[in-house]
Amino acid sequence: MPYEIETTATSSASAEVIFKHLAVAEAWGEWGNFPTRARRERAGDETPNGVGAIRKIPPAREEVVAYDPPRHYAYVILTGMPVREYRSDVTLEPQGLNTVIRWKARFEPVIPGSGPVIRLFLSRMLASFARRVARHSERCEPGCPTRLPD
């Protein structure tokens, strides 16, 4: 049985700035509060961080499946989580002077009966991601990987 999650956050940063923070794997380490470094393992088919890019954001390994700047970014988990058919879609919607970050995910648990626990964990994690990328994008420092060329 598939499970779905949706969370939102609002930022005063533009959709363009937030999108780059989602697309650049190394930027996840700046705002994601991970114990190890996030990195891109393989460049995308048409653009380095675009569709086909493989990212290692511990413990997961992910592939970018949608790259439509600055509105839609999506990825699937390849390994590192006890789920299958996991997909996250992040949409950025201008709302006045702000941007609404809508983070949706869908997955199936690998272990029968574990879905509610995984859903709770992922719900909290994605809500934290949405809040963190919103805040960080508002005050991105010059050393942030999103300020470097692709």
Side-chain angles (χ1 to χ4, degrees):
M1 174 177 107
Y3 288 82
E4 295 184 1
I5 301 163
E6 182 174 340
T7 190
T8 61
T10 302
S11 178
S12 62
S14 70
E16 290 80 9
V17 169
I18 297 167
F19 188 91
K20 193 160 186 186
H21 281 88
L22 294 169
V24 175
E26 293 78 7
W28 285 58
E30 295 293 315
W31 59 262
N33 198 29
F34 298 107
T36 58
R37 188 175 73 95
R39 63 186 167 80
R40 182 179 63 212
E41 289 185 347
R42 181 181 85 193
D45 300 335
E46 295 180 18
T47 184
N49 297 303
V51 172
I54 303 289
R55 313 171 323 163
K56 178 71 173 173
I57 301 177
R61 192 165 174 262
E62 306 168 345
E63 181 175 359
V64 176
V65 295
Y67 182 88
D68 184 19
R71 302 278 185 247
H72 180 221
Y73 189 77
Y75 58 93
V76 296
I77 290 181
L78 302 174
T79 61
M81 298 288 283
V83 296
R84 63 178 157 254
E85 303 299 321
Y86 178 96
R87 178 179 169 132
S88 269
D89 284 87
V90 185
T91 55
L92 305 172
E93 305 163 9
Q95 189 175 66
L97 298 176
N98 295 321
T99 303
V100 174
I101 302 163
R102 187 171 315 282
W103 207 306
K104 294 182 181 180
R106 180 181 173 98
F107 71 93
E108 292 187 26
V110 172
I111 303 165
S114 66
V117 172
I118 294 171
R119 183 181 186 284
L120 177 63
F121 170 76
L122 290 175
S123 292
R124 289 182 177 173
M125 182 180 73
L126 295 183
S128 174
F129 286 176
R131 286 190 312 271
R132 287 174 181 275
V133 74
R135 297 293 83 74
H136 177 81
S137 296
E138 293 171 352
R139 55 174 173 60
C140 180
E141 299 293 327
C144 182
T146 62
R147 294 184 176 259
L148 304 174
D150 287 333

